[in-house]
Amino acid sequence: MDLVLCHTTADFDALGAAVGLCVLRPGSRIVLTGGCHPTVRDFLALHRDEYPLIERRSVNPQQIRSITIVDASQRDRLGKAAEWLDLPQVSEIAVFDHHLQADLDIPATVTQIEAVGASTTLIVEKLKNQAENSDTPFRLLPSEATVMALGIHVDTGSLTFEGATARDAIALAWLMEQGASLGVIAEYVEPGLSPQLQDLLREALNNLRSQTLHGYSVAWVLLSTEAYVPGLSSLASRLLDLTETDALLLGNVYKFGENENNRNIAPESPVSNRLTIIGRSRIEGTNLSELFKPLGGGGHARAASLATRDVDPLLTLNQLAEELKTQIPHPPTARELMSSPVRSIRPETSVGEAHRILLRYGHSGLSVVDAGDRLAGIISRRDIDIALHHGFSHAPVKGYMTPQLKTIAPDTLLPEIESLMVTYDIGRLPVLENGQLVGIVTRTDVLRELHQQKARDRGSNAEFSYCAVPESVEQLLRSRISPELWQLLSIAANIAQNRGWQLYIVGGAVRDLLLATDDTLALTDIDLVVDGKCGSDDSGAGVELASSLQKLYPESRLDVHGQFQTAALLWPKDSAFGSLWVDIATARTEFYPYPAANPEVEASSIRQDLYRRDFTINALAVRLGVPRSGELLDFFCGLLDLESKQIRVLHANSFIEDPTRIYRAVRFAVRLGFEIEPQTEGYIRNALASGIYYRIQGENGRAPALETRLKSELKYILQAPYWKVALQMLGDLQALRCIHPSLELDRELWRQLRLLDRCLNGRRKKEEGRRKKEEGSSATDSVTDLTDVKDRRKKEKGRGEKEEGRGKKEQTIPNSQFPIPDAQSPMPNSPFPIINIPDWQMRLEVLIAYLAPEYRGKVAANLQLPADSIKRLEVLEAGKNQLAENLPKCELPSQLVLLLRNYEWPVLIAISLQSPRSARRQIWEYLTKWANVEPPLNGNDLKALGYKPGPGFKRMLDDLLAARLDGDLGDRAAAISFLAQRYPQT
């Protein structure tokens, strides 16, 4: 265990430096050795989960490998943690500090103590150097950049203290580039006040008037001075912080004489009152600039001022306060913020089992409910870790849970929720309705809502400006889809709202909407997610909503998949919707019992539903229906990745759990023109190099993700126009090993695929040319020609029926393993034989055929290819050997045709790709030139000549065909003469 120690009563500089070291040394944990400053405590009450903090009592001293001390160089500043410095197994002790006057009494192996304004600066310089010399893109998380910037701001007085240096300024500037939040910094940095402003602060605190509305507190105060006072904005900010007010109007009235600014005015000129008002607001939706504009003021929505004269100061201030109250929106309630349903356990559940549940679902805590489903307590991951540390894995959680809980109701407002979390340092608040646990609001839920509020306030830039979140995409969606589709979505949203659910459009439709450049967007596949419980049956809210919609749209077809709580509405060819597929699912989470398994799904919240998705660009959702219709949910910064044109996975184990995501990453990257983000590419390569998929196949006998799901992804790629680029990218990633561990895209396999493509393109072009020729000739055919064509088709039909009646035993040649299916027979006069399997399957068969013969059938069966495809691959090697032996013996076209007509067309193509050029030329010549040549006479002709039908017909027709192929027959008369000589009639 690698530890970073902060001194007792840690300040922002110690915390910021510690966080930076954890970025430099991944896996390190931060220990606050003895409390922290009040402002740091308040900051961590909301942001604790952003940083790798661990309690001192949770540390096992015997597991400590290294210790790093920040912002301190003396043992007595580390409290009881100083005892760890004497542990024999500790291999390294490092000290980073900026207090030169302190005597170092720590047995450090590495020290860096320099004259800078903040210890954090030393760590930021190392991070900046690493970023500049890294081969891969480097970026801090906003939470990391923000706390480090706070460390420098606080210890340097925002670069105003005597000890501040240029190095501190450079470090601070770099942190701003990395996304440090100015809003958070302003909230926790405390600038100083002049003596005059301090006196006015005391007066303001004594005379402040305030009112609470919708959970927000609004305050106003009027101060009177003899003259103008500079620095009122700092006074307003300090007053706002001290009173924890959400909005403040600070007025200052003073006397102003005209002669003060104009020396030409006589001294006896009248003196008037001047009123200055400073406004500050933290409330979403308020606009102080608009409020002050009628009186000549202005500024920003959340910070503005005005200066006016000859007005009643108190009346003016009170009127503005009343108008400000009307701007205050109704804040979000717990019902809108909470996650539901809540993962809960019984008090008798063991600590070990609770830990397993936390790992399975990625939660940081669990609710504990009694037999009547009444809330009994909450146990956090921290509580469970401590219990496990002391060896109590089999003990019931009731001995470690927190029973005395703060709870909230569904209509509790966001400001009250935030206040409870900060005041009592609570990370999660259960939501109770009629005594039942209906949801839970976490610290993450509150932070996300505050983040999105600030994003909306700032327009296109969020508080963490790297990740912009639009306020609403409702108008964008409505303008780009058809009115009929918008009506369908509106009806669905209303049905959901009437049942107390929330409906979202998610995934690819949202992605394509945000990427679209055209005014219209043709959506044929839409995913909807319902967040809410269903009271009627076990099929889920999604199924119930789909059933209700189907009653309103009876022309649609309803498919229900109860196991996954999903349903689909299909309009195959509708006049209004065209071909439309609407998938409706209940919000759910999923868990993979082992790598490459089929996931197990359970009902959950919209956030968990989005977290289970493959990539950030597909984890976007748009809220449909009130409240906040059109709101974009972007929990994982997918919008940023859309702007950056990169494919980024949601978590490190994503490809371990589902290897088909590797193929989807490539498909989306090539299709959208994006790049796979470097860390995501690293996860792909690590997953493939681990060999986990093949180990799982050996242990469990199968890996479901590598069966039909992998085949589906291969189909998507191999049938796409960009299949070559995608396959090359898969080859570079060595991802073809998902098909078989030995499969790689080397030069020879790529050559075979290119030859196949030439073959398929040649067939396609010749078929198109034939169709065009027939269409052109049909327009000029005479009545006689049409009659001749009709007669010829009748004869061909009769011949086909007769030949079909000869029995299946004539479809194969003895000792041949390659049957000739009726479906593979060439069309009369076709310049190229028909291949009745799609191009993508041909490409996939070529990939599989490149494996050693003993693996081909097994891989094809594992991918669940059609039976005929599996058979072709199993007998391919034998066919190749047969042709390698017999093709050199074919000197005449007839010999070539009589040999090769016993093989399926796909088999011949596969063999040709693996054969030498001479054999490939013979097979290609057969396919393109000889395969469709017919005997000059047919069975009806033979009967007309007096021959009796029977097995001899086939020999006679074969001899006629051979003679024609070899050029020994010319016209019909020559054919009749040939028969008379070879088969004389008695």
Side-chain angles (χ1 to χ4, degrees):
M1 181 181 291
D2 301 311
L3 298 181
V4 181
L5 306 185
C6 299
H7 55 72
T8 55
T9 317
D11 57 14
F12 274 116
D13 188 28
L15 180 61
V19 169
L21 278 168
C22 289
V23 177
L24 284 170
R25 303 173 181 180
S28 299
R29 306 295 294 273
I30 300 172
V31 178
L32 304 178
T33 57
C36 50
H37 277 294
T39 51
V40 177
R41 182 195 61 216
D42 293 343
F43 175 84
L44 289 178
L46 280 178
H47 300 274
R48 178 183 297 273
D49 293 342
E50 308 277 349
Y51 311 112
L53 293 164
I54 185 174
E55 292 192 357
R56 179 172 54 82
R57 59 178 175 168
S58 299
V59 175
N60 184 345
Q62 302 307 315
Q63 295 180 352
I64 301 175
R65 294 182 303 182
S66 68
I67 296 175
T68 304
I69 299 102
V70 293
D71 202 34
S73 53
Q74 295 179 311
R75 296 174 65 101
D76 60 3
R77 298 202 65 195
L78 301 179
K80 291 186 178 181
E83 299 171 358
W84 298 340
L85 299 175
D86 301 322
L87 294 172
Q89 81 276 7
V90 176
S91 60
E92 179 183 281
I93 298 176
V95 173
F96 295 90
D97 195 14
H98 69 124
H99 300 102
L100 272 65
Q101 69 279 9
D103 295 328
L104 177 67
D105 62 357
I106 294 173
T109 57
V110 177
T111 60
Q112 186 176 359
I113 304 175
E114 298 180 18
V116 290
S119 297
T120 305
T121 298
L122 303 176
I123 310 304
V124 173
E125 288 175 339
K126 292 180 178 293
L127 288 168
K128 184 171 180 288
N129 182 63
Q130 177 177 305
E132 291 171 348
N133 294 289
S134 175
D135 295 330
T136 59
F138 177 93
R139 191 174 187 89
L140 294 174
L141 294 174
S143 55
E144 296 166 346
T146 299
V147 74
M148 284 188 268
L150 270 170
I152 298 176
H153 266 289
V154 170
D155 255 36
T156 65
S158 295
L159 304 179
T160 62
F161 292 169
E162 186 176 352
T165 67
R167 292 169 64 184
D168 300 298
I170 294 170
L172 196 55
W174 186 75
L175 290 172
M176 291 178 65
E177 292 176 352
Q178 291 291 306
S181 168
L182 295 180
V184 174
I185 292 170
E187 186 175 353
Y188 292 97
V189 170
E190 301 179 359
L193 296 178
S194 66
Q196 183 183 17
L197 289 176
Q198 292 179 25
D199 292 338
L200 290 175
L201 176 62
R202 285 189 288 272
E203 181 182 346
L205 290 172
N206 291 331
N207 297 286
L208 192 70
R209 299 178 59 190
S210 65
Q211 181 179 349
T212 300
L213 185 67
H214 298 323
Y216 295 107
S217 61
V218 181
W220 61 100
V221 65
L222 181 64
L223 303 175
S224 179
T225 60
E226 291 296 323
Y228 169 74
V229 178
L232 283 177
S233 59
S234 297
L235 176 60
S237 298
R238 178 62 61 86
L239 188 60
L240 195 71
D241 293 336
L242 288 176
T243 59
E244 296 185 349
T245 301
D246 298 300
L248 171 70
L249 298 181
L250 172 63
N252 174 221
V253 61
Y254 58 94
K255 293 180 179 181
F256 179 83
E258 296 290 347
N259 59 341
E260 293 182 23
N261 284 342
N262 192 338
R263 296 182 180 181
N264 296 322
I265 301 297
E268 61 272 13
S269 298
V271 176
S272 63
N273 286 338
R274 205 72 184 274
L275 176 64
T276 298
I277 298 179
I278 305 294
R280 295 289 186 270
S281 176
R282 297 169 176 166
I283 306 174
E284 175 194 3
T286 56
N287 193 324
L288 296 175
S289 179
E290 292 296 322
L291 180 67
F292 290 169
K293 187 177 293 184
L295 294 177
H300 301 283
R302 305 281 282 274
S305 63
L306 69 83
T308 187
R309 51 190 283 182
D310 299 330
V311 296
D312 186 323
L314 187 58
L315 178 62
T316 301
L317 183 63
N318 289 338
Q319 288 176 343
L320 289 173
E322 292 301 318
E323 293 176 18
L324 176 59
K325 295 174 193 176
T326 64
Q327 290 187 354
I328 298 176
H330 197 288
T333 63
R335 190 183 299 278
E336 299 170 41
L337 299 173
M338 70 184 187
S339 297
S340 177
V342 183
R343 194 75 52 194
S344 61
I345 56 176
R346 300 296 187 197
E348 297 77 21
T349 304
S350 69
V351 169
E353 176 64 13
H355 183 256
R356 187 191 68 80
I357 294 173
L358 285 180
L359 289 177
R360 173 168 180 160
Y361 297 105
H363 294 338
S364 59
L366 291 169
S367 299
V368 184
V369 297
D370 60 20
D373 288 334
R374 292 181 297 272
L375 184 67
I378 279 185
I379 187 165
S380 68
R381 182 185 295 274
R382 194 186 322 173
D383 299 328
I384 292 175
D385 287 344
I386 292 173
L388 291 174
H389 171 72
H390 292 296
F392 293 106
S393 62
H394 298 291
V397 296
K398 62 183 179 182
Y400 295 89
M401 70 183 186
T402 303
Q404 302 298 326
L405 299 174
K406 295 290 181 183
T407 62
I408 55 178
D411 57 356
T412 303
L413 300 177
L414 173 61
E416 183 179 349
I417 296 172
E418 183 182 3
S419 177
L420 284 171
M421 286 185 169
V422 173
T423 303
Y424 298 100
D425 191 17
I426 301 172
R428 55 195 63 82
L429 285 168
V431 184
L432 301 184
E433 187 173 30
N434 300 323
Q436 297 294 308
L437 181 65
V438 296
I440 193 162
V441 177
T442 67
R443 185 183 286 118
T444 301
D445 296 325
V446 172
L447 285 173
R448 184 185 311 112
E449 180 61 31
L450 295 174
H451 164 75
Q452 292 181 346
Q453 285 183 5
K454 292 179 180 180
R456 288 189 288 267
D457 290 343
R458 297 189 178 198
S460 61
N461 292 321
E463 176 183 279
F464 295 148
S465 58
Y466 73 99
C467 187
V469 181
E471 179 176 357
S472 174
V473 296
E474 180 176 352
Q475 292 303 319
L476 182 65
L477 176 62
R478 189 169 186 173
S479 65
R480 288 188 172 175
I481 64 175
S482 66
E484 294 82 5
L485 182 54
W486 174 254
Q487 183 180 20
L488 171 65
L489 296 177
S490 300
I491 291 173
N494 289 335
I495 295 173
Q497 185 179 351
N498 292 337
R499 286 166 170 76
W501 307 329
Q502 187 61 61
L503 184 65
Y504 301 88
I505 180 171
V506 301
V510 181
R511 178 199 67 226
D512 294 343
L513 172 68
L514 297 173
L515 287 176
T517 56
D518 298 334
D519 293 335
T520 57
L521 180 65
L523 292 177
T524 59
D525 189 353
I526 297 177
D527 291 333
L528 299 178
V529 169
V530 187
D531 192 354
K533 293 183 179 179
C534 178
S536 58
D537 54 45
D538 294 331
S539 56
V543 175
E544 185 172 327
L545 176 59
S547 300
S548 299
L549 281 173
Q550 204 273 335
K551 294 176 182 176
L552 299 176
Y553 292 89
E555 68 277 10
S556 63
R557 190 179 85 230
L558 175 64
D559 289 345
V560 175
H561 308 283
Q563 178 185 0
F564 299 106
Q565 299 179 328
T566 65
L569 289 174
L570 293 82
W571 286 265
K573 292 182 180 179
D574 187 80
S575 58
F577 299 125
S579 294
L580 178 64
W581 178 299
V582 179
D583 190 88
I584 307 176
T586 307
R588 59 197 192 274
T589 187
E590 63 185 24
F591 174 75
Y592 290 82
Y594 57 89
N598 284 326
E600 300 173 1
V601 299
E602 298 178 11
S604 186
S605 63
I606 182 63
R607 187 180 191 278
Q608 288 294 320
D609 190 276
L610 294 176
Y611 183 69
R612 71 180 181 84
R613 297 176 183 270
D614 48 12
F615 309 110
T616 59
I617 62 171
N618 295 329
L620 298 163
V622 174
R623 190 190 298 263
L624 299 174
V626 295
R628 295 180 286 173
S629 177
E631 177 187 16
L632 178 67
L633 274 63
D634 182 12
F635 300 130
F636 313 107
C637 281
L639 192 61
L640 173 68
D641 291 328
L642 284 178
E643 295 172 351
S644 303
K645 295 187 175 182
Q646 64 178 8
I647 306 297
R648 182 165 59 90
V649 78
L650 270 71
H651 57 90
N653 291 318
S654 182
F655 301 113
I656 295 289
E657 293 178 342
D658 186 356
T660 63
R661 289 173 177 163
I662 299 172
Y663 285 71
R664 286 201 292 276
V666 170
R667 176 159 57 90
F668 285 124
V670 178
R671 174 188 155 196
L672 300 175
F674 284 19
E675 297 288 336
I676 297 179
E677 182 251 349
Q679 190 172 43
T680 298
E681 181 178 335
Y683 292 148
I684 292 174
R685 294 188 184 277
N686 290 338
L688 292 167
S690 70
I692 183 66
Y693 310 135
Y694 326 119
R695 188 163 69 248
I696 290 298
Q697 283 180 314
E699 295 172 356
N700 297 339
R702 60 184 295 243
L706 299 177
E707 297 172 359
T708 53
R709 284 158 53 196
L710 178 58
K711 183 186 75 173
S712 296
E713 288 303 321
L714 285 164
K715 177 180 178 181
Y716 283 133
I717 289 175
L718 294 175
Q719 72 184 2
Y722 50 76
W723 71 270
K724 290 182 181 178
V725 180
L727 201 59
Q728 286 179 324
M729 186 178 294
L730 288 170
D732 177 67
L733 292 169
Q734 297 184 321
L736 295 182
R737 293 180 180 179
C738 290
I739 301 175
H740 190 272
S742 66
L743 186 59
E744 294 187 11
L745 187 65
D746 57 19
R747 181 175 296 181
E748 173 58 24
L749 177 55
W750 185 243
R751 182 191 67 83
Q752 292 183 20
L753 288 165
R754 289 174 60 198
L755 284 173
L756 172 67
D757 200 43
R758 287 168 56 187
C759 172
L760 297 177
N761 288 337
R763 175 179 70 91
R764 193 177 299 111
K765 289 178 180 178
K766 289 186 177 182
E767 286 296 323
E768 290 173 357
R770 179 185 63 81
R771 284 194 297 269
K772 289 181 180 179
K773 184 177 180 180
E774 287 183 350
E775 291 170 0
S777 62
S778 64
T780 58
D781 280 343
S782 63
V783 176
T784 304
D785 294 333
L786 292 173
T787 304
D788 291 342
V789 171
K790 185 180 296 184
D791 292 341
R792 186 169 68 249
R793 288 179 178 173
K794 286 182 179 179
K795 291 179 181 179
E796 290 168 354
K797 181 178 179 182
R799 182 193 65 195
E801 292 172 349
K802 185 68 178 179
E803 291 178 351
E804 184 179 14
R806 289 205 296 261
K808 292 185 178 179
K809 64 181 181 180
E810 293 187 10
Q811 295 179 17
T812 59
I813 287 182
N815 302 322
S816 172
Q817 304 179 57
F818 302 93
I820 307 175
D822 293 339
Q824 297 294 334
S825 299
M827 290 179 62
N829 304 319
S830 172
F832 203 96
I834 294 177
I835 300 176
N836 287 336
I837 64 174
D839 290 359
W840 72 267
Q841 188 175 324
M842 280 293 298
R843 295 180 181 119
L844 180 55
E845 289 187 20
V846 169
L847 289 173
I848 298 173
Y850 196 62
L851 297 171
E854 61 267 25
Y855 299 133
R856 295 168 183 167
K858 295 178 182 178
V859 170
N862 186 64
L863 292 174
Q864 299 185 20
L865 291 182
D868 60 329
S869 178
I870 298 173
K871 180 66 175 177
R872 277 194 297 271
L873 290 163
E874 287 176 339
V875 300
L876 178 63
E877 190 67 15
K880 185 172 73 171
N881 293 336
Q882 287 180 10
L883 292 188
E885 178 183 354
N886 294 318
L887 277 175
K889 302 175 183 177
C890 295
E891 298 179 355
L892 297 173
S894 61
Q895 296 172 323
L896 186 67
V897 170
L898 292 175
L899 173 66
L900 296 184
R901 71 178 184 177
N902 301 302
Y903 297 82
E904 283 185 292
W905 310 115
V907 172
L908 286 177
I909 291 177
I911 292 175
S912 72
L913 298 178
Q914 297 187 2
S915 299
R917 180 174 296 180
S918 57
R920 188 164 61 249
R921 185 183 296 113
Q922 285 179 291
I923 295 173
W924 185 253
E925 184 179 12
Y926 163 74
L927 291 173
T928 59
K929 186 175 181 180
W930 304 120
N932 299 301
V933 175
E934 297 179 345
L937 301 176
N938 57 35
N940 291 330
D941 295 328
L942 297 183
K943 287 191 293 182
L945 292 173
Y947 292 97
K948 294 182 179 181
F953 266 30
K954 182 178 187 305
R955 289 192 298 272
M956 297 167 69
L957 292 173
D958 282 348
D959 286 345
L960 286 169
L961 176 61
R964 183 171 187 179
L965 288 168
D966 297 336
D968 296 335
L969 290 181
D971 54 14
R972 181 181 178 87
I976 294 173
S977 175
F978 175 86
L979 283 177
Q981 294 176 5
R982 291 287 186 95
Y983 299 95
Q985 299 188 58
T986 58

